[in-house]
Amino acid sequence: MKHLLHAAVFGLSATGAVAEVSVARGEYLVTGPMGCGNCHTPQGADGPLPGAELSGMLVDQNPGFTAIAANITPAGEVADWSDADLAKAIREGIRPDGSVIGPPMPIGLYRHISDDDLGSIVAYLRTVPAVENDPGKSVYNIPLPPAYGPPLTTVSAPAEGATVEWGGYVATISHCFECHSTPVEGVPDLAGHYGQGGLEFPGPWGVSVAPNITAAEEGIGKYSDEELAAIIQHGVRPAGERMLPPMPYPYFAKMTDQDLSAVILYLRSGPTAPPAEM
Ligand code: HEC
Ligand code: HEC
């Protein structure tokens, strides 16, 4: 079954290696560090609406666009897509009809998702409860790119461990820098202002601003590892201050210790651009 799914999604990789596709790994990624529900699960007054996980919601409304994250449960449009179609939509932002998925779905960063992790995410999404909900369709007044890059065939991840490299991978697919890079013409500038902060998030909470998370003193340099862990996983600053949405704290709370340590190592290493696609 595992092999069939893998073959259906990706075919055999150039090396002939069989990917490890696992529903448990997919669940960890979707409900943990990748926080898909932070955009795709309808929100009630007390956070994500129970029983409505991943059934779609309005994410962002601004002069450029009204972005509605789709119902990605087996009751949504994706139900009729093949596993390969769903994989391509998540990693390359292209639907089976050829249309391009718009922001803020962080496709530029999702292009780094490894074949194994992508197969695991797709496998998990097929197992979540089907929730009937039609959140509506997005409207983009800004032009969408024809694609987010050349077609991808195979993507690998660095070896898993408490290392800078693995941390770079986890931070990338957790889209930290999609929120924390300075916007230029409304779009986070990953190439020139990686992690330098400034993007504003209006909401029922007022306006939150993503701070600088570079290694510098004005970034995360002023925090200890323990303080950073509390910030990232519990949304609490050292003085006890509760932090504002939309940083997906409850999702990051599920990060393994290894992944969290790796992310902190990566932030401290002072990266100035996303890892190269592999
Ligand atoms: C920052 C918000 C955000 C995050 C995080 C996010 N998405 Fe999305 N996603 C969106 C938006 C908005 C759209 C719709 C864009 C459009 O209409 O063009 C979308 C569209 C999609 C689609 C296309 C569905 C369709 O029917 O057209 C899929 C599949 C999808 N997302 C899967 C995922 C998965 C899986 C994750 C987590 C690994 C994820 N998304 C994380 C915002 C997000
Ligand atoms: C959806 C957007 C979003 C994502 C994704 C996100 N953040 Fe944040 N982050 C914010 C916002 C907004 C704040 C400010 C909250 C406040 O001031 O109350 C913040 C605050 C922080 C802070 C506190 C900085 C300070 O100086 O006080 C750190 C550290 C941080 N984020 C790290 C991360 C890391 C690491 C990731 C990925 C694992 C991440 N963030 C993902 C939006 C985001």
Side-chain angles (χ1 to χ4, degrees), residues 174-176 179-180 201 208-211 213 220 222-223 228 231-232 237 243-249 252 255 263 267:
S174 304
H175 68 283
C176 314
C179 289
H180 282 279
F201 298 90
S208 58
V209 182
I213 59 163
I220 56 133
K222 57 185 173 294
Y223 297 123
L228 277 176
I231 286 173
I232 296 169
R237 286 209 177 83
M243 294 166 62
L244 299 172
M247 177 147 156
Y249 317 104
F252 294 158
M255 264 192 206
V263 166
L267 296 178

